[in-house]
Amino acid sequence: MTSAAPLRLAVPNKGRLEAPAVELLKGAGLEFELSERRLSAGVRNADIELLFVRTEDVAEYVADGLVELGLTGADLVAEHGGALRTILPLGFGACSLVLAVPRDAAVTSVTDLAGCRIATSFPRVTAAFLADAGVEAQVVEVRGAVEVTPQLGVADAVVDLVASGSTLRVNGLRPIATLLASEGVLVARDGTADGDERVGGLVDMLRSVLDARGREYMMMNAPADALDRIRALIPGLSGPTVMPLADPAFIAVHSVVERSQLWRIVPALKAAGARDILVVPIEKVVR
Ligand code: AMP
């Protein structure tokens, strides 16, 4: 099913998710201009319009039907609480929403926080977590600088986003529970976008870029009788490509490998007799 209006996609206009979102969309081949005071941009080579909005507003835009798709953090989707469906996790913007207390507090678990004040920008997720744990505590909604609220005497604990945990440590806080793990996600409203082939096409292209990340293409020459050992080392996506060389005693083998495994695979390939090993980047993997 397609419609006359372009497919609208809300994208963060600033903040942590903006640059990786734009990089992913461009990597998927969408051609559009970015300008300083941009609110929207038409995609030149696809029936798609991008709307640049605040990261925390994306879920609302999607839920209200102002756009068909949104790109935002899973944490913000959870906090919005609307009927949104994650179509594709995007592998960037990874962080966790954690419950943390002052380092020296005599608190080991959430149950010790009954009657306490918990500061957060995620009141809905926090309230649900406390209800699940059967703990009655006061949720204090704050916007920004959540981690300083215990020092200010405004709260006894915080629920805040962390990536490395260094901000918590600098502010003398110690995590005691994780409420959720988050990353950038592509979302749609529940029950929509399913039959739209433009959504399917966009998702395929985004996924092809994500699948290519962390992978490399390897090429090598090897003695023909080393094929079984080499194949065991580099099984590839559907098996390695094997080609004869001018000298019938030798073959060329090509395969896709995980970059993180290269340090282990390359010496083993050499030991198996492979030589002239080339490793080149992959842009997309379309399945
Ligand atoms: P922004 O406030 O616009 O920079 O983006 C906030 C969003 O970035 C959050 O909702 C998360 O989805 C994501 N994020 C990734 N790492 C972190 C982090 N260390 N702290 C806060 N947000 C993060």
Side-chain angles (χ1 to χ4, degrees), residues 24-284:
L24 175 62
L25 295 172
K26 295 225 161 181
L30 301 191
E31 294 175 5
F32 55 93
E33 297 303 330
L34 294 175
S35 71
E36 261 308 298
R37 297 194 350 266
R38 64 194 188 269
L39 297 174
S40 69
V43 175
R44 273 196 297 277
N45 57 342
D47 189 20
I48 297 174
E49 186 182 8
L50 304 177
L51 265 77
F52 299 100
V53 306
R54 295 189 318 163
T55 313
E56 59 265 43
D57 293 339
V58 170
E60 188 63 33
Y61 269 68
V62 180
D64 288 350
L66 295 170
V67 294
E68 285 74 34
L69 298 173
L71 200 159
T72 186
D75 51 307
L76 296 167
V77 175
E79 180 60 22
H80 182 269
L84 299 176
R85 184 168 58 92
T86 295
I87 298 183
L88 189 66
L90 301 173
F92 59 76
C95 56
S96 307
L97 190 62
V98 303
L99 173 63
V101 295
R103 197 179 293 125
D104 303 328
V107 174
T108 53
S109 86
V110 59
T111 48
D112 298 330
L113 291 173
C116 292
R117 297 157 305 165
I118 305 176
T120 186
S121 315
F122 291 82
R124 185 191 288 260
V125 175
T126 302
F129 174 75
L130 292 170
D132 261 7
V135 172
E136 285 202 21
Q138 187 192 341
V139 177
V140 181
E141 183 172 357
V142 290
R143 296 203 160 255
V146 176
E147 65 280 0
V148 301
T149 54
Q151 294 164 49
L152 297 177
V154 176
D156 308 295
V158 301
V159 166
D160 201 7
L161 286 175
V162 301
S164 69
S166 60
T167 308
L168 284 187
R169 277 194 298 280
V170 166
N171 287 285
L173 296 171
R174 165 172 64 87
I176 57 168
T178 299
L179 281 66
L180 59 84
S182 178
E183 66 183 297
V185 287
L186 183 71
V187 290
R189 199 148 48 108
D190 258 354
T192 66
D194 281 336
D196 193 326
E197 62 199 30
R198 295 168 306 172
V199 175
L202 177 65
V203 168
D204 277 353
M205 288 311 281
L206 295 177
R207 190 180 281 130
S208 76
V209 176
L210 300 173
D211 276 357
R213 288 183 180 166
R215 291 189 162 131
E216 311 263 17
Y217 194 69
M218 276 192 114
M219 298 175 267
M220 69 208 70
N221 297 330
D225 59 12
L227 179 58
D228 286 347
R229 285 176 69 192
I230 291 176
R231 184 186 284 159
L233 290 166
I234 49 169
L237 296 179
S238 317
T241 304
V242 182
M243 287 163 284
L245 293 184
D247 179 343
F250 283 87
I251 51 173
V253 186
H254 294 194
S255 189
V256 172
V257 296
E258 301 287 329
R259 186 181 304 122
S260 62
Q261 297 300 311
L262 276 179
W263 66 273
R264 187 180 62 76
I265 291 172
V266 170
L269 286 170
K270 283 179 76 178
R275 61 169 99 130
D276 314 325
I277 299 173
L278 305 182
V279 181
V280 296
I282 299 174
E283 204 172 281
K284 297 183 180 64

